Coordinates of all heavy atoms in Angstrom, one line a residue:
M1 N 117.8 115.7 87.7 CA 117.1 114.8 88.6 C 118.0 113.6 88.9 O 118.8 113.3 88.2 CB 115.8 114.4 88.0 CG 114.9 113.9 89.0 SD 113.9 115.2 89.8 CE 112.9 114.4 90.9
C2 N 117.7 112.9 89.9 CA 118.5 111.8 90.2 C 117.9 110.4 89.7 O 116.7 110.1 89.9 CB 118.6 111.7 91.8 SG 119.6 110.4 92.4
E3 N 118.7 109.7 89.1 CA 118.3 108.4 88.5 C 117.9 107.4 89.7 O 117.1 106.4 89.4 CB 119.4 107.7 87.7 CG 119.0 106.5 86.9 CD 120.0 106.0 85.9 OE1 120.6 106.9 85.2 OE2 120.2 104.8 85.9
V4 N 118.4 107.6 90.8 CA 117.9 106.8 92.0 C 116.5 106.8 92.1 O 115.8 105.7 92.5 CB 118.6 107.1 93.3 CG1 118.1 106.4 94.5 CG2 120.2 107.0 93.2
F5 N 115.9 107.9 91.9 CA 114.3 108.1 92.1 C 113.7 107.6 90.9 O 112.8 106.8 90.9 CB 114.0 109.5 92.5 CG 114.7 110.0 93.8 CD1 115.5 111.1 93.7 CD2 114.6 109.2 95.0 CE1 116.1 111.6 94.8 CE2 115.2 109.8 96.1 CZ 115.9 110.9 96.0
A6 N 114.1 108.2 89.8 CA 113.3 108.0 88.5 C 113.6 106.6 87.9 O 112.7 106.1 87.2 CB 113.8 109.1 87.5
G7 N 114.7 106.1 88.2 CA 115.0 104.8 87.6 C 114.7 103.5 88.5 O 115.1 102.5 88.1
Q8 N 114.0 103.8 89.6 CA 113.6 102.7 90.4 C 112.8 101.7 89.6 O 112.0 102.0 88.7 CB 113.0 103.1 91.7 CG 111.6 103.7 91.6 CD 111.1 104.2 92.9 OE1 110.9 103.3 93.8 NE2 110.9 105.5 93.1
D9 N 112.7 100.5 90.2 CA 111.9 99.4 89.6 C 110.4 99.7 89.8 O 110.0 100.0 90.9 CB 112.2 98.0 90.4 CG 111.4 96.9 89.9 OD1 110.5 97.0 89.1 OD2 111.7 95.8 90.4
P10 N 109.6 99.8 88.7 CA 108.2 100.1 88.8 C 107.4 99.2 89.7 O 106.4 99.6 90.3 CB 107.7 100.0 87.4 CG 108.9 100.2 86.6 CD 110.1 99.6 87.3
Q11 N 107.9 98.0 90.0 CA 107.2 97.1 90.9 C 107.2 97.6 92.4 O 106.3 97.4 93.1 CB 107.8 95.7 90.9 CG 107.7 94.9 89.7 CD 106.2 94.7 89.4 OE1 105.5 94.2 90.3 NE2 105.7 95.1 88.2
R12 N 108.2 98.5 92.7 CA 108.2 99.1 94.0 C 107.1 100.0 94.3 O 106.6 100.3 95.4 CB 109.6 99.8 94.3 CG 110.7 98.8 94.4 CD 112.0 99.5 94.8 NE 111.9 100.4 95.9 CZ 111.8 100.1 97.2 NH1 111.7 98.8 97.6 NH2 111.8 101.0 98.1
Y13 N 106.6 100.8 93.2 CA 105.5 101.7 93.4 C 104.2 101.3 92.8 O 103.2 102.1 92.8 CB 105.9 103.1 92.9 CG 106.3 103.2 91.5 CD1 105.4 103.3 90.5 CD2 107.7 103.3 91.2 CE1 105.8 103.5 89.2 CE2 108.1 103.4 89.9 CZ 107.2 103.5 88.9 OH 107.6 103.6 87.6
R14 N 104.1 100.0 92.5 CA 102.8 99.5 92.1 C 101.9 99.4 93.3 O 102.3 99.0 94.4 CB 102.8 98.2 91.4 CG 103.3 97.0 92.3 CD 103.4 95.7 91.5 NE 104.0 94.7 92.3 CZ 103.3 94.0 93.4 NH1 102.1 94.2 93.5 NH2 104.0 93.2 94.0
P15 N 100.6 99.7 93.2 CA 99.6 99.6 94.3 C 99.3 98.1 94.6 O 99.1 97.4 93.7 CB 98.3 100.4 93.8 CG 98.5 100.4 92.3 CD 99.9 100.3 92.0
V16 N 99.3 97.9 95.9 CA 99.0 96.5 96.4 C 97.9 96.6 97.4 O 98.0 97.4 98.4 CB 100.3 95.8 97.0 CG1 100.0 94.5 97.6 CG2 101.5 95.7 96.0
N17 N 96.9 95.7 97.2 CA 95.8 95.7 98.2 C 96.0 94.5 99.0 O 96.4 93.4 98.6 CB 94.5 95.4 97.4 CG 93.9 96.7 96.8 OD1 93.8 97.7 97.4 ND2 93.6 96.6 95.5
R18 N 95.8 94.7 100.3 CA 95.8 93.6 101.3 C 94.5 93.7 102.1 O 94.1 94.8 102.5 CB 97.1 93.7 102.2 CG 98.3 93.3 101.6 CD 99.3 93.0 102.7 NE 100.7 92.8 102.1 CZ 101.8 92.7 102.9 NH1 101.6 92.8 104.2 NH2 102.9 92.6 102.3
S19 N 94.0 92.6 102.3 CA 92.8 92.5 103.2 C 93.3 92.2 104.6 O 94.1 91.3 104.8 CB 91.9 91.3 102.7 OG 91.3 91.6 101.5
V20 N 92.7 93.0 105.5 CA 93.2 92.9 107.0 C 91.9 93.0 107.8 O 90.9 93.5 107.4 CB 94.2 93.9 107.4 CG1 95.5 93.7 106.6 CG2 93.7 95.3 107.2
R21 N 92.0 92.5 109.1 CA 91.0 92.7 110.0 C 91.5 93.7 111.1 O 92.4 93.5 111.7 CB 90.7 91.4 110.7 CG 89.5 91.4 111.5 CD 89.1 90.0 112.1 NE 88.1 89.2 111.6 CZ 86.9 89.6 111.1 NH1 86.6 90.9 111.2 NH2 86.1 88.7 110.7
I22 N 90.7 94.9 111.1 CA 91.1 95.9 112.1 C 89.8 96.2 112.8 O 88.7 96.5 112.3 CB 91.6 97.1 111.3 CG1 92.9 96.8 110.6 CG2 91.8 98.2 112.4 CD1 93.5 97.9 109.9
G23 N 89.9 96.2 114.2 CA 88.8 96.6 115.0 C 87.6 95.6 114.9 O 86.4 96.0 114.9
G24 N 87.9 94.4 114.5 CA 86.9 93.4 114.4 C 86.2 93.4 113.0 O 85.3 92.7 112.7
H25 N 86.7 94.3 112.1 CA 86.1 94.5 110.8 C 87.1 94.2 109.7 O 88.3 94.5 109.8 CB 85.5 95.9 110.5 CG 84.5 96.3 111.5 ND1 83.2 95.9 111.5 CD2 84.6 97.1 112.6 CE1 82.6 96.4 112.5 NE2 83.4 97.2 113.2
S26 N 86.7 93.4 108.7 CA 87.6 93.2 107.5 C 87.6 94.4 106.6 O 86.5 95.0 106.4 CB 87.1 92.0 106.6 OG 87.3 90.8 107.5
T27 N 88.8 94.8 106.2 CA 88.9 95.9 105.3 C 90.0 95.7 104.3 O 90.8 94.8 104.5 CB 89.1 97.2 106.1 OG1 89.1 98.4 105.3 CG2 90.5 97.2 106.8
S28 N 90.1 96.4 103.3 CA 91.2 96.4 102.4 C 92.0 97.7 102.4 O 91.4 98.7 102.4 CB 90.6 96.2 100.9 OG 91.6 96.1 100.0
I29 N 93.3 97.5 102.3 CA 94.2 98.7 102.4 C 95.0 98.7 101.1 O 95.6 97.6 100.8 CB 95.1 98.7 103.6 CG1 94.3 98.7 104.9 CG2 96.1 99.9 103.5 CD1 95.1 98.5 106.1
Q30 N 95.0 99.8 100.4 CA 95.9 99.8 99.2 C 96.9 100.8 99.3 O 96.7 102.0 99.5 CB 95.0 100.2 98.0 CG 95.9 100.3 96.7 CD 95.0 100.6 95.5 OE1 94.1 99.9 95.2 NE2 95.3 101.7 94.8
I31 N 98.3 100.3 99.3 CA 99.4 101.3 99.3 C 100.4 100.6 98.5 O 100.3 99.5 98.0 CB 100.0 101.5 100.8 CG1 100.3 100.2 101.5 CG2 99.0 102.3 101.6 CD1 100.9 100.4 102.8
E32 N 101.5 101.3 98.2 CA 102.5 100.9 97.3 C 103.3 99.7 97.9 O 103.5 99.6 99.1 CB 103.5 102.1 96.9 CG 102.8 103.2 96.2 CD 101.8 104.0 96.9 OE1 101.9 104.1 98.2 OE2 101.0 104.8 96.4
A33 N 103.8 98.8 97.0 CA 104.6 97.6 97.4 C 105.7 97.9 98.3 O 106.0 97.3 99.3 CB 105.1 96.9 96.1
A34 N 106.4 99.0 98.1 CA 107.6 99.4 98.9 C 107.2 99.7 100.4 O 107.8 99.3 101.3 CB 108.3 100.6 98.4
F35 N 106.0 100.2 100.5 CA 105.5 100.6 101.9 C 105.1 99.2 102.6 O 105.4 99.0 103.8 CB 104.3 101.5 101.8 CG 104.6 103.0 101.7 CD1 104.3 103.6 100.4 CD2 105.4 103.7 102.5 CE1 104.7 104.9 100.2 CE2 105.8 104.9 102.3 CZ 105.4 105.6 101.1
W36 N 104.5 98.4 101.9 CA 104.1 97.0 102.5 C 105.5 96.3 102.9 O 105.5 95.7 104.0 CB 103.4 96.1 101.5 CG 101.9 96.5 101.4 CD1 101.3 96.8 100.3 CD2 101.0 96.5 102.5 NE1 100.0 97.1 100.6 CE2 99.8 96.8 102.0 CE3 101.1 96.3 103.9 CZ2 98.6 97.0 102.7 CZ3 100.0 96.3 104.7 CH2 98.7 96.7 104.0
D37 N 106.5 96.5 102.1 CA 107.8 95.8 102.6 C 108.3 96.4 103.9 O 108.7 95.6 104.8 CB 108.9 96.0 101.5 CG 108.7 95.2 100.3 OD1 107.8 94.3 100.2 OD2 109.3 95.6 99.2
L38 N 108.2 97.7 104.0 CA 108.6 98.4 105.3 C 107.7 98.0 106.4 O 108.1 97.8 107.6 CB 108.6 99.9 105.1 CG 109.9 100.5 104.5 CD1 109.7 101.9 104.3 CD2 111.0 100.3 105.5
I39 N 106.4 97.9 106.2 CA 105.5 97.6 107.3 C 105.7 96.1 107.7 O 105.7 95.9 109.0 CB 104.0 97.7 106.8 CG1 103.7 99.2 106.5 CG2 103.0 97.1 107.7 CD1 102.4 99.5 105.7
D40 N 106.0 95.2 106.8 CA 106.3 93.9 107.2 C 107.6 93.9 108.1 O 107.6 93.2 109.1 CB 106.5 93.0 106.0 CG 105.2 92.7 105.2 OD1 104.1 92.8 105.8 OD2 105.3 92.4 104.0
E41 N 108.5 94.7 107.7 CA 109.8 94.8 108.5 C 109.5 95.4 109.8 O 110.1 94.9 110.9 CB 110.8 95.7 107.7 CG 112.1 96.0 108.4 CD 112.9 96.9 107.6 OE1 113.2 96.7 106.4 OE2 113.4 98.0 108.2
M42 N 108.7 96.4 109.9 CA 108.3 97.0 111.2 C 107.6 96.0 112.1 O 107.9 96.0 113.3 CB 107.5 98.3 111.0 CG 108.3 99.4 110.3 SD 107.2 100.7 109.5 CE 106.3 101.3 110.9
A43 N 106.7 95.3 111.6 CA 106.0 94.3 112.4 C 106.9 93.2 112.9 O 106.9 92.9 114.1 CB 104.9 93.7 111.5
T44 N 107.8 92.7 112.1 CA 108.8 91.7 112.4 C 109.7 92.3 113.6 O 110.0 91.5 114.6 CB 109.6 91.3 111.3 OG1 108.8 90.7 110.3 CG2 110.7 90.4 111.7
S45 N 110.1 93.5 113.5 CA 110.9 94.1 114.5 C 110.2 94.2 115.8 O 110.9 94.3 117.0 CB 111.5 95.5 114.0 OG 110.5 96.5 114.1
Q46 N 108.9 94.2 115.8 CA 108.1 94.3 117.1 C 107.7 92.9 117.5 O 107.0 92.8 118.5 CB 106.9 95.2 116.8 CG 107.2 96.6 116.7 CD 107.9 97.2 117.9 OE1 107.3 97.2 119.0 NE2 109.1 97.7 117.7
G47 N 108.1 91.9 116.8 CA 107.7 90.5 117.2 C 106.3 90.2 116.9 O 105.7 89.4 117.6
Q48 N 105.7 90.8 116.0 CA 104.3 90.7 115.6 C 104.1 90.3 114.2 O 104.9 90.6 113.3 CB 103.6 91.9 115.9 CG 103.6 92.5 117.3 CD 102.8 93.8 117.5 OE1 102.6 94.5 116.6 NE2 102.3 94.0 118.7
S49 N 103.0 89.7 113.9 CA 102.6 89.5 112.5 C 102.2 90.9 112.0 O 101.9 91.8 112.8 CB 101.3 88.5 112.4 OG 100.2 89.1 113.0
T50 N 102.2 91.0 110.6 CA 101.8 92.3 110.0 C 100.4 92.6 110.5 O 100.0 93.7 110.8 CB 102.0 92.2 108.5 OG1 103.4 92.0 108.3 CG2 101.5 93.6 107.9
S51 N 99.5 91.6 110.4 CA 98.1 91.8 110.7 C 97.9 92.4 112.2 O 97.2 93.3 112.5 CB 97.3 90.5 110.6 OG 96.0 90.8 110.9
R52 N 98.6 91.8 113.2 CA 98.6 92.2 114.5 C 99.2 93.6 114.7 O 98.7 94.4 115.4 CB 99.3 91.2 115.4 CG 99.6 91.6 116.8 CD 98.5 92.2 117.6 NE 97.5 91.3 118.0 CZ 96.2 91.6 118.4 NH1 95.9 93.0 118.4 NH2 95.4 90.7 118.8
F53 N 100.2 93.9 114.0 CA 100.9 95.2 114.0 C 99.9 96.3 113.5 O 99.8 97.3 114.2 CB 102.2 95.1 113.1 CG 102.9 96.5 113.1 CD1 103.7 96.9 114.2 CD2 102.8 97.3 112.0 CE1 104.4 98.1 114.1 CE2 103.5 98.5 111.9 CZ 104.3 99.0 113.0
L54 N 99.3 96.0 112.4 CA 98.3 96.9 111.9 C 97.1 97.2 112.9 O 96.8 98.4 113.0 CB 97.7 96.5 110.5 CG 98.8 96.4 109.4 CD1 98.1 95.9 108.1 CD2 99.4 97.8 109.1
S55 N 96.6 96.1 113.5 CA 95.6 96.3 114.4 C 96.0 97.1 115.6 O 95.3 98.0 116.1 CB 95.0 94.9 114.8 OG 94.0 95.0 115.6
T56 N 97.2 96.8 116.1 CA 97.7 97.5 117.2 C 97.9 99.0 116.9 O 97.5 99.9 117.7 CB 99.0 96.9 117.7 OG1 98.8 95.5 118.1 CG2 99.6 97.7 119.0
L57 N 98.5 99.3 115.8 CA 98.7 100.6 115.4 C 97.4 101.4 115.3 O 97.2 102.6 115.8 CB 99.5 100.7 114.0 CG 99.7 102.0 113.5 CD1 100.5 102.9 114.4 CD2 100.4 101.9 112.1
Y58 N 96.4 100.8 114.7 CA 95.1 101.4 114.5 C 94.5 101.7 115.8 O 94.0 102.8 116.1 CB 94.2 100.5 113.6 CG 92.8 101.1 113.4 CD1 92.6 102.0 112.3 CD2 91.8 100.9 114.3 CE1 91.3 102.6 112.1 CE2 90.5 101.5 114.1 CZ 90.4 102.2 113.0 OH 89.1 102.9 112.8
D59 N 94.4 100.7 116.7 CA 93.9 100.8 118.1 C 94.6 102.0 118.8 O 93.9 102.8 119.5 CB 94.0 99.5 118.8 CG 93.1 98.4 118.4 OD1 92.1 98.7 117.6 OD2 93.3 97.3 118.7
E60 N 95.9 102.0 118.8 CA 96.6 103.1 119.5 C 96.3 104.5 118.9 O 96.1 105.5 119.7 CB 98.1 102.8 119.5 CG 98.5 101.6 120.4 CD 99.9 101.3 120.5 OE1 100.7 102.0 119.9 OE2 100.3 100.4 121.2
A61 N 96.2 104.6 117.6 CA 95.9 105.9 116.9 C 94.5 106.2 117.3 O 94.3 107.5 117.5 CB 96.2 105.8 115.4
L62 N 93.6 105.4 117.3 CA 92.3 105.6 117.7 C 92.1 106.1 119.1 O 91.5 107.1 119.5 CB 91.4 104.4 117.5 CG 89.9 104.5 117.7 CD1 89.3 105.5 116.8 CD2 89.2 103.2 117.6
E63 N 93.0 105.5 120.0 CA 92.9 105.9 121.4 C 93.5 107.2 121.6 O 92.9 108.1 122.4 CB 93.7 104.9 122.3 CG 93.7 105.2 123.7 CD 94.5 104.1 124.5 OE1 94.4 102.9 124.2 OE2 95.3 104.5 125.5
I64 N 94.5 107.6 120.9 CA 95.3 108.9 121.0 C 94.5 110.0 120.4 O 94.3 111.0 120.9 CB 96.7 108.8 120.4 CG1 97.6 107.8 121.4 CG2 97.3 110.2 120.3 CD1 98.9 107.4 120.7
N65 N 93.9 109.7 119.2 CA 93.4 110.8 118.3 C 91.9 110.9 118.3 O 91.3 111.7 117.8 CB 93.9 110.7 117.0 CG 95.4 110.9 116.9 OD1 96.0 111.8 117.5 ND2 96.0 109.9 116.2
G66 N 91.2 109.7 118.8 CA 89.8 109.7 118.7 C 89.2 109.2 117.5 O 88.0 108.7 117.5
S67 N 89.9 109.2 116.4 CA 89.5 108.7 115.1 C 90.7 108.5 114.2 O 91.9 109.1 114.5 CB 88.5 109.6 114.4 OG 89.1 110.8 114.1
V68 N 90.6 107.6 113.2 CA 91.6 107.5 112.3 C 91.0 107.7 110.8 O 90.3 106.8 110.3 CB 92.2 106.0 112.3 CG1 93.4 105.9 111.3 CG2 92.7 105.8 113.7
S69 N 91.2 108.9 110.4 CA 90.4 109.3 109.1 C 91.1 108.7 107.8 O 90.3 108.5 106.9 CB 90.3 110.8 109.0 OG 91.6 111.4 109.0
N70 N 92.4 108.5 107.8 CA 93.0 107.9 106.6 C 94.1 107.0 107.1 O 95.3 107.4 107.2 CB 93.5 109.1 105.8 CG 94.0 108.6 104.4 OD1 94.4 107.5 104.2 ND2 94.0 109.5 103.5
F71 N 93.8 105.7 107.3 CA 94.7 104.7 107.8 C 95.9 104.5 106.8 O 97.0 104.3 107.2 CB 94.0 103.4 108.1 CG 94.9 102.5 108.9 CD1 95.5 102.9 110.1 CD2 95.1 101.2 108.5 CE1 96.2 102.0 110.9 CE2 95.8 100.3 109.3 CZ 96.4 100.7 110.4
A72 N 95.6 104.5 105.5 CA 96.7 104.4 104.5 C 97.7 105.4 104.6 O 98.9 105.2 104.5 CB 96.2 104.2 103.1
S73 N 97.3 106.6 104.8 CA 98.3 107.7 105.0 C 99.0 107.6 106.3 O 100.2 107.9 106.4 CB 97.5 109.1 104.9 OG 97.0 109.3 103.7
L74 N 98.3 107.2 107.4 CA 98.9 106.9 108.6 C 100.1 105.9 108.4 O 101.2 106.0 108.9 CB 98.0 106.4 109.7 CG 98.6 106.1 111.0 CD1 99.2 107.2 111.8 CD2 97.6 105.3 111.9
L75 N 99.8 104.8 107.6 CA 100.9 103.8 107.4 C 102.0 104.4 106.6 O 103.2 104.1 107.0 CB 100.2 102.7 106.7 CG 99.2 101.9 107.4 CD1 98.6 100.7 106.5 CD2 99.8 101.2 108.7
R76 N 101.8 105.1 105.6 CA 102.8 105.7 104.8 C 103.7 106.7 105.8 O 104.9 106.6 105.7 CB 102.3 106.6 103.7 CG 101.7 105.7 102.5 CD 101.3 106.6 101.4 NE 100.7 105.8 100.4 CZ 99.3 105.8 100.4 NH1 98.5 106.5 101.2 NH2 98.6 105.1 99.4
T77 N 103.1 107.5 106.5 CA 103.9 108.4 107.3 C 104.6 107.7 108.5 O 105.7 108.0 108.9 CB 103.0 109.6 107.9 OG1 101.9 109.1 108.6 CG2 102.6 110.4 106.8
S78 N 104.1 106.6 108.9 CA 104.7 105.7 109.9 C 105.9 105.1 109.3 O 107.0 105.0 110.0 CB 103.7 104.6 110.4 OG 102.7 105.1 111.1
C79 N 105.9 104.8 108.1 CA 107.1 104.2 107.4 C 108.1 105.3 107.3 O 109.3 104.9 107.4 CB 106.7 103.7 106.0 SG 105.8 102.2 105.9
L80 N 107.8 106.5 107.0 CA 108.7 107.6 106.9 C 109.4 107.8 108.3 O 110.6 108.0 108.4 CB 108.1 108.9 106.5 CG 107.7 108.9 105.1 CD1 106.9 110.2 104.7 CD2 108.9 108.9 104.2
I81 N 108.6 107.8 109.3 CA 109.2 107.9 110.7 C 110.2 106.8 110.9 O 111.3 107.0 111.4 CB 108.1 107.9 111.8 CG1 107.3 109.2 111.7 CG2 108.6 107.7 113.2 CD1 106.0 109.2 112.5
H82 N 109.8 105.6 110.5 CA 110.7 104.4 110.7 C 112.0 104.6 110.0 O 113.1 104.3 110.6 CB 109.9 103.2 110.2 CG 110.7 101.9 110.3 ND1 111.1 101.2 111.5 CD2 111.3 101.3 109.3 CE1 111.8 100.2 111.1 NE2 112.0 100.1 109.8
I83 N 112.0 104.9 108.7 CA 113.3 105.0 107.9 C 114.1 106.2 108.3 O 115.2 106.2 108.1 CB 112.9 104.9 106.4 CG1 112.2 106.1 105.9 CG2 112.4 103.6 106.0 CD1 112.1 106.2 104.4
M84 N 113.4 107.2 108.9 CA 114.2 108.4 109.3 C 114.7 108.2 110.7 O 115.4 109.2 111.2 CB 113.3 109.6 109.2 CG 112.8 110.1 107.8 SD 111.5 111.3 107.7 CE 112.5 112.7 108.4
G85 N 114.5 107.1 111.4 CA 115.1 106.8 112.6 C 114.4 107.5 113.7 O 115.0 107.7 114.8
G86 N 113.2 108.0 113.5 CA 112.5 108.9 114.4 C 111.6 108.0 115.4 O 110.8 108.6 116.1
A87 N 111.7 106.7 115.4 CA 110.9 105.9 116.3 C 111.8 105.1 117.1 O 112.8 104.6 116.6 CB 109.9 104.9 115.5
K88 N 111.5 104.9 118.4 CA 112.4 104.0 119.2 C 111.4 103.0 119.8 O 110.2 103.3 120.1 CB 113.1 104.8 120.3 CG 112.2 105.5 121.3 CD 113.1 106.1 122.4 CE 112.1 106.7 123.4 NZ 112.8 107.3 124.5
K89 N 111.9 101.8 120.1 CA 111.1 100.8 120.8 C 111.0 101.1 122.2 O 112.0 101.5 122.8 CB 111.8 99.5 120.5 CG 110.9 98.3 120.9 CD 111.6 97.0 120.5 CE 110.7 95.8 120.9 NZ 111.3 94.6 120.4
C90 N 109.8 101.1 122.8 CA 109.6 101.4 124.2 C 109.6 100.1 125.0 O 109.8 99.1 124.4 CB 108.2 102.2 124.3 SG 108.1 103.6 123.4
D91 N 109.4 100.3 126.2 CA 109.5 99.1 127.1 C 108.3 98.1 126.6 O 108.6 96.9 126.6 CB 109.2 99.4 128.6 CG 110.3 100.2 129.2 OD1 111.5 100.1 128.7 OD2 110.1 101.1 130.1
S92 N 107.2 98.5 126.3 CA 106.1 97.7 125.7 C 106.4 97.6 124.2 O 106.6 98.5 123.5 CB 104.8 98.3 126.0 OG 103.8 97.6 125.2
A93 N 106.4 96.4 123.7 CA 106.7 96.1 122.3 C 105.6 96.8 121.5 O 105.6 96.9 120.2 CB 106.8 94.6 122.0
R94 N 104.4 97.2 122.0 CA 103.3 97.8 121.3 C 103.4 99.3 121.0 O 102.8 99.8 120.2 CB 102.1 97.6 122.2 CG 101.5 96.2 122.4 CD 100.3 96.3 123.2 NE 99.4 97.3 122.8 CZ 98.1 97.3 122.8 NH1 97.5 96.2 123.2 NH2 97.4 98.3 122.4
E95 N 104.3 99.9 121.8 CA 104.3 101.3 121.7 C 105.5 101.9 121.0 O 106.6 101.4 121.1 CB 104.3 101.9 123.1 CG 103.1 101.6 123.9 CD 103.0 102.1 125.3 OE1 103.6 103.3 125.5 OE2 102.6 101.5 126.1
F96 N 105.2 103.0 120.2 CA 106.3 103.8 119.6 C 106.1 105.3 120.1 O 104.9 105.7 120.3 CB 106.2 103.8 118.1 CG 106.8 102.5 117.5 CD1 105.9 101.6 116.9 CD2 108.2 102.3 117.4 CE1 106.5 100.5 116.4 CE2 108.7 101.3 116.8 CZ 107.8 100.3 116.2
H97 N 107.2 105.9 120.2 CA 107.1 107.3 120.5 C 108.0 108.0 119.5 O 109.1 107.6 119.2 CB 107.6 107.6 121.9 CG 106.7 107.0 122.9 ND1 105.4 107.6 123.2 CD2 106.7 105.8 123.7 CE1 104.9 106.9 124.2 NE2 105.6 105.9 124.4
I98 N 107.7 109.2 119.1 CA 108.5 110.0 118.2 C 109.6 110.6 119.0 O 109.5 111.1 120.1 CB 107.7 111.2 117.6 CG1 106.5 110.7 116.9 CG2 108.6 112.0 116.7 CD1 106.8 109.6 115.8
V99 N 110.9 110.5 118.4 CA 112.1 111.1 119.0 C 112.3 112.4 118.4 O 112.4 112.5 117.2 CB 113.3 110.1 118.8 CG1 114.5 110.7 119.5 CG2 113.0 108.7 119.4
A100 N 112.4 113.4 119.2 CA 112.6 114.8 118.7 C 113.9 114.9 118.1 O 115.0 114.4 118.6 CB 112.4 115.8 119.7
A101 N 114.0 115.5 117.0 CA 115.3 115.8 116.3 C 116.1 116.9 117.1 O 115.5 117.8 117.5 CB 115.1 116.2 114.9
E102 N 117.3 116.6 117.2 CA 118.1 117.6 118.0 C 118.7 118.6 117.1 O 118.9 118.6 115.9 CB 119.3 116.9 118.7 CG 118.7 116.0 119.8 CD 119.8 115.3 120.6 OE1 120.9 115.8 120.6 OE2 119.5 114.2 121.1

């Protein structure tokens, strides 16, 4: 196995709760610290606060899919798309589209 994975700082995978307001409701989201770091980075790259970014992402997912059954999982997979280079910034700073792998 690779020490890069097993030897990482335990602080990166500790669960972190953040209270946010989404769709006019206060809620708490618990995901690992490393994901919060990426989400903060993604929000900054869009010129938004993390709170605004989360709210926009939730609203867009709701509009596209009709519901958001597991927002924490949506956030984790969004981080994967981000680090894999599968998202590109669209004309509107609010929108992301998946770029198909060639």
Side-chain angles (χ1 to χ4, degrees):
M1 196 87 178
C2 184
E3 191 174 314
V4 171
F5 304 123
Q8 68 180 296
D9 181 355
Q11 289 299 308
R12 292 188 45 76
Y13 56 83
R14 71 181 167 80
V16 174
N17 282 306
R18 286 197 190 174
S19 294
V20 295
R21 189 176 258 319
I22 296 175
H25 301 285
S26 292
T27 189
S28 180
I29 300 171
Q30 179 177 302
I31 56 176
E32 296 73 17
F35 286 111
W36 281 122
D37 291 344
L38 276 171
I39 291 166
D40 292 339
E41 178 184 305
M42 292 161 61
T44 298
S45 75
Q46 292 296 301
Q48 298 180 338
S49 68
T50 299
S51 180
R52 169 46 74 198
F53 179 78
L54 294 175
S55 184
T56 299
L57 178 59
Y58 183 88
D59 290 346
E60 289 181 1
L62 186 62
E63 182 179 322
I64 292 167
N65 300 310
S67 67
V68 182
S69 61
N70 190 334
F71 192 53
S73 291
L74 173 67
L75 293 176
R76 287 185 191 94
T77 56
S78 295
C79 288
L80 288 173
I81 291 167
H82 175 74
I83 63 172
M84 293 171 68
K88 66 177 182 176
K89 193 172 178 180
C90 298
D91 292 335
S92 166
R94 296 179 39 145
E95 298 178 35
F96 279 106
H97 295 283
I98 304 303
V99 178
E102 295 183 23

